[in-house]
Amino acid sequence: MQEIIAQLVGHARSTWRYRWYMLLVASPLCIGGWAMVQVLPDQYEASARVYLDTESMLRPLMKGLAVDSNVRSQIDIMTKTLLSRPNLEKVARMTDLDLKAKTPDQMDGLLDRLGGKIKLEQVPQSRDFYKIKYEDNNPQLAKKVVQALLTIFVESTLGESRKDTDVAQSFLDQQIKEYEARLVQSEDRLKDFKRRNIGRMPGEGGDYFQNLQTAIGELEQAQLQLHEAENRRQELARQLEDNEAAPNVQAVTSTNSSTPELDSRINNLQARLDELLLKYTNQHPDVIEVKRTIADLEKQKKEVLAAQAKGGQGAADAQDGNPYQGQLKLALSEADANVAALKARVTAYQQRVDQLKKMVDILPEVEEQLKQLNRDYDVTKRNYELLLARRESASLSQQMDQNSDSVKIRVVDPPYVPPTPSGPDRPLLTSGALAGGIIAGIVFAIFLAQLNPTFDNRRILMEITSLPVLGGVSMIWTEAQLRKRHLDLLGFGLIIVTLLGIYSAVMAMQILNINLIAHVKGLL
């Protein structure tokens, strides 16, 4: 630490030797800087404050029906594009600044300076308040520039949303026309395809393989029904043969029953059923058919007994012949008709299955092409209907924007120029000129000290030369030298005091001038 202090003291002594050179540099710089500060023109800052009202009563009411545009995003874009080149050119024309530019280069420079001096600031702690500022030495021109910017800002804010809505509406109309043409083309292709493939189109029940599986199932079901009907017919034929072979059953059993034929048939069928049950289960078609015949005979027996109870009808029937043989023949005729119908059904199902099997390479391809055409048509139709809905939404949004602006501009503070200039800050610049001059003088003195270095103590000399220092000789000042030294210090101090006095006078004059201007303009 002591070495550092010693070095600093040594540098200070070396710089002090060139103090007059320091004054020689600092004095002209300070005086010249003060003079320049005095001749700087006054700058006046015009400002205006606006409020952007983004709240609208229609917006929550039309939610879900109209397009809800991002108003905050629109405001951000407008504030960022306010200082674009087209807007700056408008400001230059509205304030006649463009008359000062004679060439394109001058116009570019004018616009650059204009854009650099304009400020658009968002008021702290409020997202919807903005402040427009412009500074110039002509207060009226500054006010005109702010007024022009305010006009452009209001116009762009009110017209931007409507412009976007018009562009969206035009785009939707164009897309709807294109999709309408594509929808007509899809319908024509689908219609031509169906016309070319009449008889090959898949039904609503499924695709080709599903239809083939269904047809095979129906064929098997019809074949099973045909087999059951044939078994029924065979059983009826056998029963009819048994009945014709035993015509005198009634005489044998008439003493015990009023329906001997029916009882005989029921007994025979019951014996037949017992034989079948020894071979098959209750679900066998023959067993089911015998049980059904027994049930029919029991029903007939009840009917005959009821008729005999009404007046002896049974005796007359017995004299006319065997009525049960006629009933068996009638049932056999019905069974023959049922077998014929089932054979026709089996034949039709078999033909359908054979036809489907022959078209195994054609129908799947037709179904695939039909699915693709339907898919393209459905996609086009869905997009077309969606575009129609969007157009209606855009139309509602446009009407809403026309009836109620999404953003309302309220000018809170119109363009205003305060009576006192906003700049330049002459006291600050004057102090800066003083500090800059002193620093420049000190730097120059240090530079001279480095060019002509001296040694203030033996240690530094020994370190630099690497030679032993045996001793030192002290300076003995004479009275003349002391008097000269005192006069030198006195002159240096007077110059410093004079420089500070000039600085104080300039500062006092500037502050007095600022207060006087504010007082006079306040009275006006």
Side-chain angles (χ1 to χ4, degrees):
M1 187 66 182
Q2 293 180 354
E3 293 180 358
I4 296 175
I5 295 175
Q7 290 179 0
L8 293 176
V9 172
H11 287 302
R13 289 178 178 176
S14 299
T15 304
W16 178 253
R17 292 189 180 93
Y18 298 96
R19 56 187 177 277
W20 288 103
Y21 293 98
M22 181 180 64
L23 286 178
L24 185 63
V25 172
S27 299
L29 289 178
C30 292
I31 295 173
W34 296 335
M36 290 179 61
V37 170
Q38 287 299 114
V39 298
L40 287 176
D42 292 335
Q43 298 292 324
Y44 295 88
E45 184 180 70
S47 63
R49 192 164 56 128
V50 296
Y51 171 68
L52 303 181
D53 187 6
T54 58
E55 299 296 331
S56 176
M57 185 177 295
L58 286 178
R59 192 172 302 280
L61 295 177
M62 300 300 291
K63 186 176 181 181
L65 297 176
V67 178
D68 190 7
S69 58
N70 192 343
V71 180
R72 178 57 54 185
S73 177
Q74 294 178 1
I75 293 175
D76 293 339
I77 293 175
M78 287 183 291
T79 55
K80 292 178 181 178
T81 58
L82 180 62
L83 301 182
S84 61
R85 188 174 182 83
N87 289 339
L88 292 177
E89 291 178 353
K90 290 181 182 179
V91 173
R93 288 192 298 268
M94 294 171 68
T95 56
D96 296 332
L97 286 175
D98 57 335
L99 301 178
K100 298 180 181 180
K102 306 299 181 183
T103 62
D105 294 337
Q106 292 180 357
M107 188 65 181
D108 291 339
L110 176 64
L111 295 179
D112 291 339
R113 292 191 299 272
L114 183 63
K117 292 164 56 173
I118 295 175
K119 297 179 182 179
L120 178 63
E121 301 175 352
Q122 191 174 17
V123 178
Q125 299 179 354
S126 178
R127 298 179 58 190
D128 299 327
F129 281 92
Y130 290 86
K131 201 168 188 179
I132 303 175
K133 297 180 181 180
Y134 179 75
E135 191 176 55
D136 194 81
N137 56 359
N138 186 347
Q140 297 301 322
L141 178 61
K143 187 175 182 180
K144 290 181 180 179
V145 171
V146 172
Q147 182 63 52
L149 289 170
L150 185 61
T151 302
I152 294 174
F153 186 68
V154 172
E155 292 177 353
S156 62
T157 303
L158 295 179
E160 192 67 26
S161 59
R162 296 178 183 176
K163 180 180 178 182
D164 293 341
T165 306
D166 294 338
V167 173
Q169 189 80 16
S170 176
F171 175 77
L172 288 175
D173 292 338
Q174 181 181 359
Q175 292 297 317
I176 287 174
K177 291 181 181 178
E178 294 180 1
Y179 269 91
E180 187 175 2
R182 292 170 59 180
L183 186 62
V184 172
Q185 292 177 359
S186 298
E187 292 174 348
D188 293 339
R189 287 195 299 268
L190 188 59
K191 180 175 60 177
D192 295 339
F193 180 81
K194 290 181 178 180
R195 187 184 297 114
R196 292 194 306 268
N197 295 276
I198 294 177
R200 301 178 180 177
M201 302 299 294
E204 297 180 355
D207 57 8
Y208 167 77
F209 297 101
Q210 292 177 349
N211 293 334
L212 178 59
Q213 188 67 29
T214 302
I216 293 175
E218 292 175 349
L219 176 61
E220 293 176 351
Q221 183 68 23
Q223 289 175 346
L224 179 61
Q225 292 177 357
L226 176 61
H227 181 66
E228 292 176 353
E230 289 177 347
N231 290 336
R232 175 180 174 82
R233 184 185 62 179
Q234 292 176 1
E235 180 65 23
L236 289 174
R238 190 182 62 78
Q239 292 177 9
L240 181 61
E241 292 176 357
D242 294 341
N243 185 272
E244 290 176 351
N248 296 322
V249 174
Q250 181 180 1
V252 177
T253 59
S254 58
T255 58
N256 297 324
S257 175
S258 59
T259 57
E261 292 84 0
L262 293 177
D263 293 337
S264 177
R265 300 306 309 149
I266 291 173
N267 293 331
N268 292 334
L269 290 175
Q270 189 65 42
R272 175 67 177 168
L273 178 62
D274 294 337
E275 294 177 359
L276 292 175
L277 290 176
L278 293 175
K279 299 179 181 180
Y280 310 109
T281 63
N282 291 327
Q283 302 300 325
H284 194 272
D286 294 341
V287 174
I288 295 174
E289 187 62 31
V290 172
K291 288 183 177 180
R292 183 188 304 171
T293 304
I294 292 174
D296 293 340
L297 292 176
E298 292 287 349
K299 183 178 180 181
Q300 292 177 9
K301 180 179 178 181
K302 291 179 180 180
E303 292 176 355
V304 171
L305 291 176
Q308 290 177 355
K310 290 181 179 181
Q313 186 67 26
D317 291 338
Q319 294 175 359
D320 293 337
N322 190 355
Y324 307 106
Q325 186 175 356
Q327 293 178 358
L328 289 175
K329 290 182 179 179
L330 180 60
L332 183 61
S333 298
E334 293 178 354
D336 290 337
N338 189 24
V339 169
L342 289 175
K343 285 183 178 180
R345 182 182 301 178
V346 169
T347 302
Y349 285 153
Q350 185 65 49
Q351 291 177 354
R352 182 179 179 185
V353 170
D354 295 340
Q355 185 180 5
L356 288 174
K357 288 181 177 180
K358 291 179 181 179
M359 303 182 70
V360 67
D361 295 329
I362 300 175
L363 290 183
E365 183 178 357
V366 172
E367 290 179 358
E368 187 64 27
Q369 294 179 0
L370 180 62
K371 287 180 180 179
Q372 184 175 359
L373 289 174
N374 287 330
R375 182 168 57 250
D376 295 341
Y377 173 76
D378 292 339
V379 171
T380 304
K381 183 179 179 181
R382 183 169 60 252
N383 292 338
Y384 176 73
E385 293 175 350
L386 182 60
L387 286 172
L388 288 177
R390 293 291 176 85
R391 185 174 65 177
E392 292 299 324
S393 180
S395 178
L396 287 175
S397 300
Q398 187 177 18
Q399 295 177 8
M400 185 177 68
D401 290 339
Q402 291 176 355
N403 295 329
S404 177
D405 295 327
S406 58
V407 180
K408 296 180 181 179
I409 306 296
R410 298 180 182 178
V411 180
V412 179
D413 294 328
Y416 171 74
V417 181
T420 56
S422 59
D425 192 350
R426 287 188 173 85
L428 180 61
L429 294 177
T430 301
S431 301
L434 176 63
I438 294 174
I439 292 173
I442 293 174
V443 171
F444 184 69
I446 293 173
F447 174 71
L448 293 178
Q450 294 298 321
L451 291 178
N452 300 303
T454 58
F455 302 98
D456 294 307
N457 55 54
R458 294 187 299 271
R459 185 179 57 80
I460 296 176
L461 179 61
M462 183 177 61
E463 290 177 355
I464 294 176
T465 59
S466 300
L467 296 175
V469 179
L470 300 178
V473 179
S474 301
M475 180 69 179
I476 298 176
W477 298 92
T478 63
E479 292 183 1
Q481 290 175 337
L482 291 173
R483 188 181 303 111
K484 182 179 180 181
R485 186 180 181 183
H486 292 160
L487 291 174
D488 182 79
L489 292 174
L490 182 60
F492 182 80
L494 289 175
I495 294 175
I496 293 295
V497 171
T498 303
L499 195 62
L500 294 176
I502 296 173
Y503 165 74
S504 301
V506 171
M507 288 287 290
M509 183 178 62
Q510 291 173 354
I511 295 174
L512 181 61
N513 189 24
I514 291 173
N515 295 332
L516 181 61
I517 292 174
H519 180 69
V520 171
K521 291 188 175 180
L523 294 177
L524 295 177

